[in-house]
Amino acid sequence: MGWHIMLHRLLIAFVAVLLFIVPAAAAKRVALVIGNSKYTHFSALANPDNDAASIAQALRDAKFDDVILASDLDFNGLKKALKNFSSKAVGAEVAMVYYAGHGVEVDGINYLVPVEAELQRATDVEFEAIPLDLARFKAQFTGA
């Protein structure tokens, strides 16, 4: 047996071992997917529920470790979902938040709008919506 055949077999064996090692060593990937469609004081949106379901399925197909799908969240539900997700994101290499629904920008700050928000005045936003920065929490990622 020539050295090039032996080297070829050794290379195949090495690649086969890598195929079994890499998935086991893959880092944690988590996602929170929110679709808010059924607003109480605004027109309902046709697509967020379907978009969120499609994104969640795509992430599951991409082998994310944990995909949380939530829909039509009120203020407390949205805040609780973000809080719980921030705990799951600690130590993750990838932590993704996807939001489909109404959003608003006031004085340079972007907000996610919960389904029961009234927002009759610009000043109501601070009391009835969730600042986007809250969704961009600072977790300790292993890949950082």
Side-chain angles (χ1 to χ4, degrees):
M1 178 178 342
W3 67 269
H4 63 283
I5 294 173
M6 196 155 88
L7 181 61
H8 180 68
R9 286 185 180 169
L10 183 60
L11 184 60
I12 290 172
F14 180 69
V15 171
V17 169
L18 278 180
L19 290 175
F20 290 104
I21 293 173
V22 172
K28 182 170 91 168
R29 299 183 306 163
V30 297
L32 172 62
V33 180
I34 301 167
N36 276 358
S37 294
K38 297 174 184 82
Y39 286 86
T40 308
H41 303 286
F42 301 107
S43 59
L45 299 173
N47 295 327
D49 286 337
N50 294 332
D51 292 348
S54 294
I55 292 293
Q57 187 58 53
L59 294 170
R60 289 183 186 110
D61 291 346
K63 306 295 186 218
F64 266 61
D65 300 297
D66 195 0
V67 178
I68 302 159
L69 175 60
S71 61
D72 298 320
L73 297 177
D74 62 11
F75 183 85
N76 288 332
L78 190 53
K79 210 167 177 184
K80 184 177 179 180
L82 290 166
K83 178 184 175 192
N84 290 343
F85 183 69
S86 69
S87 296
K88 287 182 179 279
V90 173
E93 181 179 9
V94 175
M96 178 185 146
V97 175
Y98 174 88
Y99 174 80
H102 282 303
V104 66
E105 185 265 340
V106 176
D107 294 330
I109 300 172
N110 293 294
Y111 295 87
L112 308 178
V113 179
V115 295
E116 90 291 6
E118 292 183 41
L119 304 179
Q120 294 179 356
R121 294 174 300 279
T123 55
D124 291 345
V125 154
E126 295 179 30
F127 301 101
E128 296 181 32
I130 305 292
L132 182 59
D133 284 348
L134 189 60
R136 293 173 34 191
F137 50 85
K138 292 178 172 58
Q140 294 176 353
F141 299 109
T142 57

